[in-house]
Amino acid sequence: MKSRTPSTAPAQVGYGVRALDLHAHLFEVTLTVAQPAADQVVSLPVWIPGSYLVREFAKHLQGLQARQGNKPVAISQLDKCSWQIHTQAGKALALKYQVYAFDSSVRTAWLDSQRGFFNGTSLCLRVHGQEDRPHQLTLTDDDLPKDWQAATALSAQRVTKRGFGDYLATNYDELVDSPVELGPFWRGEFVAAGIPHQFIVSGASASFDGARLLADTQAICEAEISFWHGSQPQQAPQRHYLFMLNAVQDGYGGLEHRNSTALICKRADLPRLGQAGTGEPSDGYTTLLGLISHEYFHTWNVKRLRPAEFVRYDYDQENYTELLWFFEGFTSYFDDLLLRRAKRIDTTHYLKLLAKTINQVLQTPGRQVQSVAQSSRDAWVKYYRQDENTANATVSYYTKGSLVALCLDLSLRHGGKTSLDAVMRALWQRCQGGPMTQDDLLAVLTDLSGQSYAAQLQQWVHGTADLPLKKLLKQHGVRYDEEPVPRPDQLGMKVHEQQGIRIKSVLRGSAAEQAGFAAGDEWLGVATGQGKSSQRWRLNKLDDLATYLGSDTHCRALIARDQRLLTLSLSLPDTVRNVKLGVTDPKQVDTWLDGKSPA
């Protein structure tokens, strides 16, 4: 599918954005509408595509004023995020307002003396009835430090070398799908399969190895373009691409956009000068590369090939789909797999990452309660609102969805006719890089394999039974072993360990639940032995338990709950195990991991 070239027609809707006050964290927005309707309605989105939670961005909008010519215009608020401007039709309208920006995530907006960032969904009011007209964004550098720059994937019209000036979007959707980074960031460039890419990093320390990040990202991008388009990379839908990374003390996440992505990582996870060529990348840097791989894969899978329910976003309310297991889960399957194909990690490292995902799912009791199709629909009220019972009642459409993709891939390969790689490319062609349904996936599976996969999808996607991982992996030369987990992990609890042990959650059916632990408990100590051999120990961290218990499997736990001291009888099981993967047939494993056609 070819990308559209932005219109050169004058923008009917224009946004001027400037940093009004860095210390008050306020952006000022001036919105001009050349031809407003009578009683023009405007609204601010309540959510941002790719992050399925109503976030109520309008709560940060303040000081809304309207004028036509030199006259102020009355405004009526219609609901939590919509306003009616009592305009005369056809007479130019100017709105001015401020937006408070102090959320450092990739989803909203941020402004301080060190950095600025915003998504259009947080700053840009939607002019009802004019969403499909060209939209102009003007970034001004008034009163900003001279070393600040601006970057966005929007089409530049008239901009300075530092990136300030006029940008054009074909419509409102493109405008709000193109975040903006401001500040004294690091910038690098590379070309992948003939497509120019930029990478900007904010918050990096002096030890940051930008050349290594660029080389690794280039290899990932080339692997993914090849995955989708093979020997015809010119068919890739993006004509340019921008990576925007914010390095912080502690954070992780990403949000995909049509021609860019916003990322956040720990500063310590960035590659460091002098570390290149010293072996496998650190776990933290591998995690960052996996995030880069994941968000870039979304360029195809969700930003273009997307749920039929997302043909046109409704920014005013939840947009439901049962297909996040495909769009997020399958992307999660391919993100690490493509790191292996890009030669950023080896087979051993890949299998370690895969085993980690398998263990995450198997240690989630909610997998037997909720299907990944239900998880997709419930994302709006469950995935982004996690609490102490989340693991007992839900399953992640990311992790289990990736294992559904694994099972499909290995099943298709075992049939000897096709692979999930071929299925993804055929879906792209069938749906012309646009909306799709589960029926489209089923049709492609049948076309390429010669058999129906309806029963498998019904069981794996719409059911709650465990997936046939062990059988399928063994069929493809992977050893599937199980080993006991460390004793603290046998308890079935998640804790917060700072100045003592605070229970965050207790897993269903676990030893901790059977003993009577509850979220919020403070675990003070344990008593072991009986009679004269009894001993009492203060616990500072969970790992201390193995030291104090030795070979014992039973103890008495002293906890504090709502200022009451309680004694719980705790027995440790010896049946909790982790999955560990290894290679038994290197040729079979390489055929799968390298994406070669099955024999």
Side-chain angles (χ1 to χ4, degrees):
M1 185 176 69
K2 295 183 178 179
S3 60
R4 293 177 296 176
T5 301
S7 170
T8 57
Q12 298 296 302
V13 181
Y15 301 82
V17 175
R18 74 182 184 99
L20 178 65
D21 191 326
L22 301 181
H23 302 302
H25 318 294
L26 289 174
F27 282 109
E28 182 180 73
V29 182
T30 301
L31 167 58
T32 57
V33 185
Q35 297 287 327
D39 292 327
Q40 178 69 60
V41 175
V42 297
S43 65
L44 199 66
V46 302
W47 70 290
I48 182 169
S51 186
Y52 307 101
L53 177 68
V54 170
R55 298 186 183 274
E56 311 293 16
F57 298 128
K59 67 183 179 181
H60 295 307
L61 189 148
Q62 62 189 51
L64 179 62
Q65 301 176 8
R67 302 187 73 86
Q68 284 189 302
N70 295 321
K71 294 184 179 180
V73 179
I75 302 172
S76 300
Q77 185 160 0
L78 302 178
D79 55 35
K80 63 182 181 180
C81 63
S82 303
W83 294 263
Q84 186 171 60
I85 317 300
H86 297 290
T87 49
Q88 300 178 32
K91 185 177 180 181
L93 168 68
L95 300 176
K96 184 174 287 189
Y97 54 94
Q98 298 85 47
V99 174
Y100 177 70
F102 202 60
D103 182 337
S104 62
S105 76
V106 297
R107 298 177 293 264
T108 51
W110 172 269
L111 183 65
D112 71 357
S113 61
Q114 304 303 305
R115 172 180 177 259
F117 172 83
F118 66 86
N119 288 286
T121 44
S122 291
L123 261 67
C124 299
L125 286 167
R126 177 167 62 94
V127 182
H128 291 214
Q130 302 204 32
E131 294 91 341
D132 291 327
R133 292 186 174 183
H135 285 54
Q136 180 173 294
L137 174 67
T138 300
L139 303 174
T140 62
D141 59 353
D142 296 351
D143 301 321
L144 287 177
K146 297 303 181 184
D147 61 344
W148 276 40
Q149 306 172 72
T152 178
L154 286 172
S155 176
Q157 300 299 292
R158 294 170 295 277
V159 301
T160 67
K161 291 182 179 180
R162 291 164 52 212
F164 293 95
D166 298 334
Y167 294 86
L168 191 65
T170 56
N171 52 36
Y172 183 78
D173 287 339
E174 184 181 10
L175 175 76
V176 299
D177 200 20
S178 305
V180 173
E181 180 77 22
L182 303 168
F185 47 75
W186 175 92
R187 185 195 299 265
E189 300 178 351
F190 63 87
V191 175
I195 300 169
H197 292 66
Q198 289 191 45
F199 208 129
I200 63 173
V201 181
S202 177
S205 65
S207 64
F208 166 54
D209 187 347
R212 184 180 182 187
L213 180 64
L214 290 179
D216 290 338
T217 304
Q218 180 183 27
I220 292 167
C221 293
E222 288 174 344
E224 297 196 2
I225 294 169
S226 177
F227 172 91
W228 286 100
H229 304 291
S231 61
Q232 298 179 304
Q234 68 276 8
Q235 294 184 355
Q238 70 275 30
R239 295 296 89 208
H240 58 88
Y241 196 87
L242 173 64
F243 291 94
M244 315 166 77
L245 174 61
N246 183 27
V248 296
Q249 175 62 27
D250 188 19
Y252 172 81
L255 189 61
E256 68 276 3
H257 298 281
R258 191 173 182 86
N259 293 303
S260 61
T261 181
L263 311 166
I264 187 169
C265 77
K266 292 181 180 180
R267 191 171 290 112
D269 291 342
L270 291 173
R272 300 181 187 179
L273 293 169
Q275 289 183 336
T278 59
E280 283 285 309
S282 67
D283 288 345
Y285 185 44
T286 299
T287 299
L288 173 57
L289 293 180
L291 178 65
I292 290 169
S293 178
H294 183 98
E295 302 304 339
Y296 194 67
F297 198 84
H298 275 319
T299 305
W300 294 267
N301 197 38
V302 90
K303 294 312 301 183
R304 290 170 173 86
L305 191 65
R306 62 192 184 277
E309 297 90 341
F310 291 176
V311 169
R312 192 65 185 262
Y313 294 120
D314 184 343
Y315 295 102
D316 296 333
Q317 61 184 345
E318 297 89 344
N319 290 211
Y320 294 102
T321 178
E322 289 191 350
L323 285 175
L324 296 183
W325 58 268
F326 178 88
F327 290 100
E328 291 293 355
F330 279 39
T331 299
S332 296
Y333 171 61
F334 283 111
D335 57 22
D336 287 337
L337 186 56
L338 285 160
L339 287 188
R340 161 64 172 70
R341 294 185 190 171
K343 296 181 172 55
R344 302 304 103 176
I345 58 175
D346 61 17
T347 297
T348 300
H349 201 157
Y350 173 75
L351 292 179
K352 179 181 176 182
L353 294 173
L354 180 58
K356 181 180 179 181
T357 301
I358 293 172
N359 287 319
Q360 286 176 337
V361 173
L362 293 181
Q363 292 169 13
T364 302
R367 76 186 191 282
Q368 297 175 325
V369 176
Q370 184 189 53
S371 71
V372 282
Q374 292 171 327
S375 176
S376 299
R377 180 170 285 275
D378 286 344
W380 296 92
V381 293
K382 294 186 177 181
Y383 185 81
Y384 289 94
R385 290 194 172 105
Q386 298 192 14
D387 58 26
E388 71 283 348
N389 194 50
T390 293
N392 297 321
T394 70
V395 67
S396 167
Y397 49 78
Y398 284 90
T399 52
K400 188 177 179 183
S402 72
L403 297 184
V404 170
L406 169 68
C407 289
L408 267 179
D409 197 6
L410 298 184
S411 296
L412 291 165
R413 289 178 174 279
H414 187 64
K417 291 185 178 181
T418 191
S419 67
L420 191 58
D421 296 43
V423 167
M424 299 299 288
R425 289 190 285 267
L427 265 175
W428 178 264
Q429 296 299 324
R430 174 187 173 91
C431 300
Q432 298 183 347
M436 63 160 280
T437 66
Q438 181 175 298
D439 286 342
D440 290 312
L441 174 60
L442 283 169
V444 170
L445 287 168
T446 300
D447 289 345
L448 297 187
S449 70
Q451 66 183 73
S452 171
Y453 273 80
Q456 287 90 334
L457 287 193
Q458 183 62 35
Q459 181 179 8
W460 300 345
V461 172
H462 299 277
T464 57
D466 283 337
L467 302 170
L469 297 166
K470 186 174 184 178
K471 174 185 174 183
L472 289 169
L473 285 165
K474 284 189 171 183
Q475 286 176 347
H476 287 80
V478 178
R479 186 174 65 251
Y480 188 104
D481 297 327
E482 295 180 355
E483 58 184 9
V485 302
R487 281 197 170 176
D489 295 339
Q490 295 178 19
L491 297 174
M493 61 168 60
K494 304 295 182 184
V495 302
H496 182 70
E497 295 179 311
Q498 278 191 350
Q499 298 180 338
I501 302 173
R502 182 75 65 173
I503 312 302
K504 294 195 298 185
S505 63
V506 177
L507 297 183
R508 185 75 68 242
S510 66
E513 184 185 61
Q514 292 169 9
F517 281 93
D521 289 350
E522 184 182 2
W523 194 351
L524 303 174
V526 294
T528 62
Q530 299 292 331
K532 293 183 179 181
S533 63
S534 176
Q535 292 182 308
R536 294 175 180 270
W537 301 97
R538 179 75 165 93
L539 283 182
N540 293 312
K541 56 183 183 298
L542 208 55
D543 285 343
D544 292 342
L545 194 62
T547 301
Y548 299 142
L549 261 61
S551 60
D552 291 346
T553 60
H554 180 79
C555 68
R556 297 177 301 285
L558 179 64
I559 68 161
R561 180 183 300 165
D562 191 28
Q563 302 302 310
R564 296 181 181 182
L565 297 180
L566 306 176
T567 300
L568 307 178
S569 180
L570 175 64
S571 295
L572 298 184
D574 60 1
T575 56
V576 181
R577 283 170 166 67
N578 269 337
V579 169
K580 183 177 181 180
L581 304 179
V583 176
T584 58
D585 187 333
K587 184 177 180 180
Q588 276 192 300
V589 171
D590 286 345
T591 297
W592 159 41
L593 297 185
D594 289 337
K596 298 175 183 175
S597 298

